[in-house]
Amino acid sequence: MVWLDRLRDFAAATWAWLRDLALVLKPCRFSAFVVVFGGALLLAVPQGREMTVRMASEGYTKSLWFCIAVAFWAFESWYWARFILDATFGPQRLITNMGRRRPERIRTLVNHVPRVTALLAYGVAVAACLSSPPRNLSTAGVLVVLGIAFYVGLVKRKHLTVVVGKHVGSKAGHWLVREPGARMGVSGLAPLSKVVLWVSIIGAAFWFVWACVDPVGLGWALGASAVPFIGFASIVPIGSIAVYMARSGGVARVESEVDRINDPHVGYPVVTLFLATALVFSLWVDNHHVRALDSSSVAHAPMSPASAVEVWYRGTARDGSPVDMVIVATAGGGIRAAYWTATVLGALQDCAPSFRSRLLAISGVSGGSLGAVTFATLLSQDAVSRPPIDCTAAGLSRAEWAPGPFESAGQKVLSNDFLAPTVAALLFPDLMQRFLPYSFLPDRAAALEKGWERAWEAAGYDAGTWRDRSFDDIWRITKGPMPSLLLNGTQVETGQRIITSNLQIDPNVFRDSIDFFDHFDGKSIRPSTAAHNSARFTYVSPAGRVNSNTRIVDGGYYDNFGAKTAAELLNLARAQLAKDGVAVQPIVILISNDPGMPANEKLVDSIASTCPKCKTSTAVNTAIANEVLSPLLALLNTRAAHGTRSVYDLYDLAPRFYHFRLCSDPLAPDPALGWVLSPVSEQSMQRLLRERNACGNREQFDDLVSRLSH
């Protein structure tokens, strides 16, 4: 049958083409591998898609750095792929297979594979600009033009070399072309190619050293959009050199390499060897130790929860009526959780100055913990000196209610790019450490914490606010009533809560929980480290080593709302005050930040939500590969359900329950989950607290402020 013969011929031709493509890709596989890996990191991971969210608001400088970084990655991908292929196939691009020559197809592939690899680097950058709102259409358009121009330049490269050689003379032209009969490899390169090679290696070393010494400075200078592309570009030379060395120590003679190219035993598998090395070294190499303030610092003896309740009650004004006792549970969610928490708590403090005296404690998780520590720091140091705003007269009647001093201060601290320093440390020292047998390089966890510390100086406060002071100093130097902080993490080895707090984590109060300081040899930590103990969410931050037997990860693995810890403290406080004959009126504030969280009228005090998206189901389709995915999805959804159940238990303990949440804003995209926000998202969160009928937040805020003001 004719159609069957044609199908057979097509399949054979396709297989032959794929076989030759694999043959060409094998030598330059590292350039292709980095493009594939980089594309997956930036486009398949939520935090990767958020790399460009702030670029449009940062001016032309960051956009220019982004375009330069993309061009750098594309050039490195092309140059090293071309270098390896020239060393493998020689100038004639010939290959033999069972005595038959296949020059044309091999020539075509060898010529175009490096060019396509470079073009794909531009494609990844364009997709990154379009993958996460607000989409950078103008930058994407510029990159499309630059990518096409770059590709055309590579295609016309030899013609341009000839033209330039004719105009500049033979001596200058000698710099552009390889000498006839020159050996393959580094020694036979044209002089200009040798310069490019060494500049490429020195450049990778330069970025590596900068990322080790000052990842925050590197990240803030280039921006989160440019840093990953600089990192990918710097990885390409290192891996390509390893591939080159793997091919029998380099190519001495073209003929011998052509003869050996079909031998599967030539060289060794570089990428596989890298992965195996990292796996073996991981048995004893770990540079993710939780940072201590310094070797001599010692944390002070914590106060018991019962004593904290007593101190709180003594400092609360009362006239015989029931005392309002406020406990806050704030959920995890990266920088949006931190910003939203600081916005809600700061606005409450601005509008009701008595809020701090009524606030017993804040139980935080992940980004919510960062917002809580930021708010507590502003309270303790009296960093906000402006008088509180009169919300009743000036703010609550107007949609354009401006942020007050506490709210704006917290927002200013958290309105920084914390993702860029983290990625800089991830792609340089942290990645390199995986292939070294001794742990000494700084990690990305330290870079993230240093970014938080530098943010205080960038916001106009004392540079040592978090950098030089301990977590204990928040209560030690306070000038007024202070809430306790309960920052929830999760122990890797047991799955238990491991809580960082100014309180003693009594297992009789906080059931089946671990006190972080009991496992940290009594050493003191910075406020940034305390917040990060709760905010080490998956892969963006590594598991922190507390001691030889204890590692800590994000508190969201156990309970993403911090509700269970808040409920246990509330139970203790009510029981203790009841013994003393004190009437208390518990007020629980839940701060959540997931726009996809289903609306629940019970949890927003019977205020109907006007957020249609929040009512939609976010369940994953379990019909897809259910045999493989169902157990994993069950584990993940059980974790989420456990947190939701803890919220209901907390709700049942409080006669007055306020739920401040984010829903989808029709005027703005959902805020980013990683460690950088766009100004559009920041303005959206301010608006969602103020505007009526926006998730019910404004109505609840009015009611709570009115209660706290009387």
Side-chain angles (χ1 to χ4, degrees):
M1 301 175 71
V2 176
W3 67 267
L4 187 59
D5 291 337
R6 290 178 178 176
L7 179 62
R8 180 199 61 191
D9 293 341
F10 174 78
T14 301
W15 174 248
W17 186 88
L18 291 173
R19 181 185 56 200
D20 288 346
L21 176 62
L23 190 67
V24 173
L25 278 174
K26 181 180 178 182
C28 63
R29 59 190 177 276
F30 208 85
S31 291
F33 170 78
V34 175
V35 169
V36 173
F37 172 80
L41 182 64
L42 293 177
L43 303 178
V45 179
Q47 291 78 13
R49 293 195 297 271
E50 295 163 2
M51 293 286 184
T52 61
V53 297
R54 198 178 182 89
M55 183 172 60
S57 64
E58 292 178 315
Y60 292 108
T61 301
K62 296 296 172 60
S63 296
L64 178 61
W65 268 119
F66 177 60
C67 292
I68 292 174
V70 175
F72 181 37
W73 184 26
F75 178 82
E76 291 288 286
S77 299
W78 168 80
Y79 175 84
W80 287 97
R82 166 64 57 220
F83 168 73
I84 295 292
L85 290 176
D86 281 352
T88 301
F89 294 102
Q92 301 303 317
R93 320 286 194 235
L94 299 179
I95 190 70
T96 61
N97 181 42
M98 303 296 292
R100 291 174 295 178
R101 294 163 65 87
R102 299 194 305 258
E104 293 306 321
R105 186 162 55 214
I106 293 297
R107 274 187 174 185
T108 301
L109 288 172
V110 170
N111 284 333
H112 285 285
V113 163
R115 299 168 185 171
V116 172
T117 302
L119 191 62
L120 287 176
Y122 271 101
V124 169
V126 171
C129 289
L130 302 177
S131 62
S132 183
R135 294 174 174 82
N136 296 282
L137 298 178
S138 58
T139 304
V142 170
L143 287 174
V144 169
V145 173
L146 292 176
I148 294 173
F150 188 81
Y151 188 85
V152 171
L154 295 179
V155 172
K156 301 294 185 180
R157 178 176 60 93
K158 290 186 178 181
H159 174 71
L160 294 174
T161 300
V162 173
V163 172
V164 172
K166 288 181 179 180
H167 285 82
V168 301
S170 58
K171 289 186 177 180
H174 166 73
W175 276 76
L176 303 176
V177 297
R178 183 192 299 270
E179 289 288 341
R183 298 173 60 186
M184 292 296 98
V186 176
S187 61
L189 290 175
L192 182 59
S193 292
K194 289 182 180 179
V195 171
V196 172
L197 183 146
W198 287 110
V199 168
S200 177
I201 295 173
I202 293 171
F206 168 78
W207 296 116
F208 173 79
V209 171
W210 191 358
C212 288
V213 174
D214 186 14
V216 180
L218 172 60
W220 286 3
L222 303 184
S225 54
V227 166
F229 293 91
I230 292 290
F232 299 150
S234 300
I235 292 170
V236 170
I238 307 304
S240 297
I241 290 173
V243 172
Y244 173 72
M245 299 301 294
R247 301 192 64 79
S248 302
V251 182
R253 300 203 328 266
V254 177
E255 294 80 11
S256 62
E257 182 63 16
V258 170
D259 292 338
R260 295 198 307 265
I261 191 64
N262 288 313
D263 185 354
H265 302 292
V266 170
Y268 46 84
V270 172
V271 175
T272 302
L273 183 61
F274 279 166
L275 295 176
T277 299
L279 181 62
V280 172
F281 287 168
S282 68
L283 296 174
W284 68 85
V285 173
D286 188 352
N287 63 326
H288 303 313
H289 296 276
V290 174
R291 297 165 71 213
L293 180 59
D294 58 61
S295 58
S296 60
S297 63
V298 178
H300 76 284
M303 182 183 297
S304 70
S307 298
V309 172
E310 183 179 349
V311 170
W312 169 85
Y313 179 68
R314 289 201 308 264
T316 303
R318 52 195 181 277
D319 55 5
S321 59
V323 179
D324 286 334
M325 181 178 65
V326 180
I327 291 181
V328 175
T330 178
I335 190 61
R336 76 182 180 206
Y339 193 94
W340 179 235
T341 299
T343 295
V344 172
L345 297 180
L348 287 171
Q349 183 59 39
D350 288 327
C351 295
S354 64
F355 176 58
R356 67 183 297 172
S357 64
R358 310 285 181 88
L359 182 56
L360 174 63
I362 305 172
S363 174
V365 176
S366 194
S369 292
L370 175 61
V373 179
T374 300
F375 174 71
T377 302
L378 293 171
L379 285 179
S380 70
Q381 298 190 11
D382 202 20
V384 178
S385 58
R386 289 178 290 168
I389 60 176
D390 186 354
C391 296
T392 303
L396 295 180
S397 61
R398 299 202 311 266
E400 61 272 13
W401 160 32
F406 272 95
E407 180 186 355
S408 59
Q411 292 168 348
K412 194 172 183 180
V413 171
L414 296 172
S415 183
N416 282 279
D417 183 353
F418 303 120
L419 186 58
T422 308
V423 174
L426 169 64
L427 293 178
F428 288 102
D430 227 356
L431 181 61
M432 179 63 73
Q433 182 62 79
R434 309 280 70 79
F435 309 107
L436 299 176
Y438 178 72
S439 175
F440 68 95
L441 292 175
D443 72 341
R444 60 191 183 276
L448 179 57
E449 292 174 16
K450 289 176 181 178
W452 295 341
E453 293 158 15
R454 291 265 285 272
W456 288 90
E457 182 180 7
Y461 299 107
D462 182 1
T465 301
W466 276 10
R467 184 193 63 195
D468 301 331
R469 296 190 178 100
S470 72
F471 178 60
D472 302 328
D473 285 338
I474 293 177
W475 295 268
R476 190 178 291 148
I477 65 175
T478 183
K479 297 182 180 180
M482 281 295 299
S484 295
L485 293 178
L486 298 155
L487 311 177
N488 298 271
T490 306
Q491 186 182 17
V492 173
E493 291 77 9
T494 65
Q496 296 171 284
R497 283 173 294 168
I498 178 166
I499 303 174
T500 306
S501 177
N502 60 300
L503 302 180
Q504 179 185 4
I505 304 304
D506 185 345
N508 294 317
V509 177
F510 305 102
R511 297 296 180 87
D512 198 32
S513 295
I514 299 170
D515 191 324
F516 166 80
F517 288 106
D518 286 348
H519 290 255
F520 202 55
D521 300 327
K523 292 180 289 187
S524 184
I525 59 175
R526 297 172 178 84
S528 56
T529 303
H532 199 197
N533 279 350
S534 176
R536 292 176 175 266
F537 61 88
T538 311
Y539 300 123
V540 175
S541 292
R545 183 163 292 281
V546 181
N547 57 37
S548 58
N549 300 313
T550 304
R551 289 179 297 163
I552 187 171
V553 291
D554 193 275
Y557 287 100
Y558 185 92
D559 168 14
N560 196 46
F561 297 97
K564 186 172 182 62
T565 301
E568 290 171 335
L569 181 62
L570 177 56
N571 278 327
L572 168 74
R574 294 178 66 177
Q576 180 173 327
L577 293 174
K579 287 182 182 179
D580 298 334
V582 178
V584 295
Q585 183 73 38
I587 297 176
V588 169
I589 299 173
L590 175 67
I591 304 174
S592 67
N593 61 85
D594 184 0
M597 183 178 180
N600 188 308
E601 293 182 359
K602 180 180 180 182
L603 295 184
V604 294
D605 203 18
S606 300
I607 297 176
S609 170
T610 58
C611 173
K613 183 177 179 180
C614 295
K615 294 177 181 290
T616 61
S617 173
T618 58
V620 177
N621 186 355
T622 56
I624 301 175
N626 72 89
E627 293 284 350
V628 176
L629 295 181
S630 290
L632 177 61
L633 291 173
L635 288 173
L636 294 175
N637 291 328
T638 298
R639 175 189 65 87
H642 180 269
T644 303
R645 172 58 190 267
S646 297
V647 170
Y648 279 105
D649 291 342
L650 179 60
Y651 174 89
D652 291 337
L653 295 175
R656 301 197 66 82
F657 190 97
Y658 296 88
H659 182 189
F660 296 100
R661 65 188 184 87
L662 290 180
C663 62
S664 292
D665 185 347
L667 302 179
D670 291 343
L673 181 64
W675 291 119
V676 61
L677 282 173
S678 68
V680 172
S681 293
E682 295 172 356
Q683 295 163 10
S684 172
M685 283 188 270
Q686 296 172 27
R687 186 167 57 250
L688 289 175
L689 180 63
R690 288 158 172 74
E691 291 187 350
R692 298 192 183 280
N693 300 320
C695 309
N697 291 326
R698 174 66 179 275
E699 292 79 0
Q700 292 190 99
F701 189 89
D702 289 1
D703 183 72
L704 180 55
V705 168
S706 176
R707 182 174 185 86
L708 294 173
S709 300
H710 293 86

